Amino acid sequence: MLTTNNHLLTQLSPDDQALLEPLAQEVELKQGQVLYEPLQPVEYVHFFNGGMSSEIAINRDGHQIEVGCIGHEGFSANFAVLGVDRTPHRSFMQAGTTALRFPAADLRRAMRESETLSSLLLRFTHVFMIQVAATTLADGRYKIEQRLARWLLMSQDRLGPELPLTHDFLGLMLGVRRPSVTDALHVLEGERAISTERALIKIRDRSKLEAFARDAYGAPEAEYRRVISPDWPRS
């Protein structure tokens, strides 16, 4: 049986866990560590025990914005389970963790052997696509305070109430300048939804963050509960 805190892997049957166990290697992933670069072949898929990775879209001029994040609810490089070996995106760890690493080719072979394994991994890929779409909607239709509240809620779902994040980093995640991030943080802090220290944001009142985010937050999380597991997020 797999020893893991990955919420997706814990949904597997004993037979599917036994199928994956010989393929698994536990590795440590550090904050800032790159998982894959644009259009470079991806050899491994990581199922996170914690932490959080960030999926970044980059244009020709080098402008970057986050389009999705993944923690212990899923796995990196979900395009690999679709038979694709690379992506135009970049991925790196926002917060470090341990993970179970699987060679992508071996994981695809295991999926061909088990319909139930294949179904679960493809359902998570579907949920991640919903998250990317929700991020696009939020970036195009919601104010910075709502987008920030949404992103902090998503971070809390994966990391807990203390988030080791800088203003510059949040600017990258939201695709805005640092002063806009600072102003939005001051609004949320003034409402006592969060408190901020140097490179650290603490969630003080989740219900207030949810009120700020409105329906910018919740659709991907509801879809995860519908198609994978009813008890996520845990926070």
Side-chain angles (χ1 to χ4, degrees), residues 27-225:
V27 295
E28 181 178 357
L29 301 173
K30 297 181 179 180
Q31 185 179 30
Q33 183 172 336
V34 174
L35 299 178
Y36 47 85
E37 294 283 8
L39 299 177
Q40 296 299 310
V42 172
E43 296 184 23
Y44 297 101
V45 173
H46 295 86
F47 288 75
F48 306 116
N49 289 319
M52 186 164 67
S53 72
S54 183
E55 185 93 355
I56 304 295
I58 309 171
N59 70 6
R60 292 181 180 178
D61 296 327
H63 296 121
Q64 305 179 50
I65 190 170
E66 184 188 66
V67 295
C69 62
I70 302 169
H72 66 273
E73 85 286 2
F75 60 96
S76 70
N78 48 73
F79 55 86
V81 305
L82 303 176
V84 180
D85 72 341
R86 65 196 73 190
T87 177
H89 294 168
R90 181 175 186 263
S91 179
F92 70 96
M93 298 304 299
Q94 296 183 30
T97 184
T98 59
L100 291 184
R101 186 176 78 173
F102 297 86
D106 291 343
L107 185 61
R108 286 193 292 268
R109 279 193 288 270
M111 291 173 65
R112 290 194 290 270
E113 293 181 32
S114 171
E115 182 178 348
T116 52
L117 171 64
S118 179
S119 174
L120 182 64
L121 301 191
L122 291 175
R123 276 181 277 142
F124 175 74
T125 300
H126 159 73
V127 171
F128 186 71
M129 291 177 179
I130 299 298
Q131 185 195 133
V132 171
T135 300
T136 303
L137 178 63
D139 289 344
R141 296 298 181 189
Y142 292 93
K143 296 179 180 179
I144 179 63
E145 293 85 1
Q146 293 171 285
R147 293 166 54 202
L148 177 59
R150 170 185 182 261
W151 199 84
L152 293 175
L153 288 166
M154 294 171 65
S155 298
Q156 184 184 15
D157 291 341
R158 293 159 176 84
L159 299 175
E162 296 193 359
L163 311 175
L165 307 170
T166 66
H167 291 203
D168 288 336
F169 190 81
L170 288 169
L172 169 62
M173 296 304 98
L174 298 171
V176 298
R177 297 178 182 272
R178 176 178 175 143
S180 297
V181 172
T182 301
D183 291 344
L185 286 170
H186 286 164
V187 170
L188 297 181
E189 192 167 22
E191 294 294 328
R192 304 180 68 82
I194 64 171
S195 61
T196 61
E197 302 174 14
R198 182 175 177 82
L200 182 67
I201 299 172
K202 296 182 180 180
I203 308 300
R204 299 183 62 183
D205 192 326
R206 183 180 174 93
S207 63
K208 288 183 178 180
L209 277 183
E210 290 175 344
F212 265 99
R214 300 181 185 177
D215 58 356
Y217 171 83
E221 293 74 20
E223 191 69 353
Y224 191 102
R225 291 191 293 270

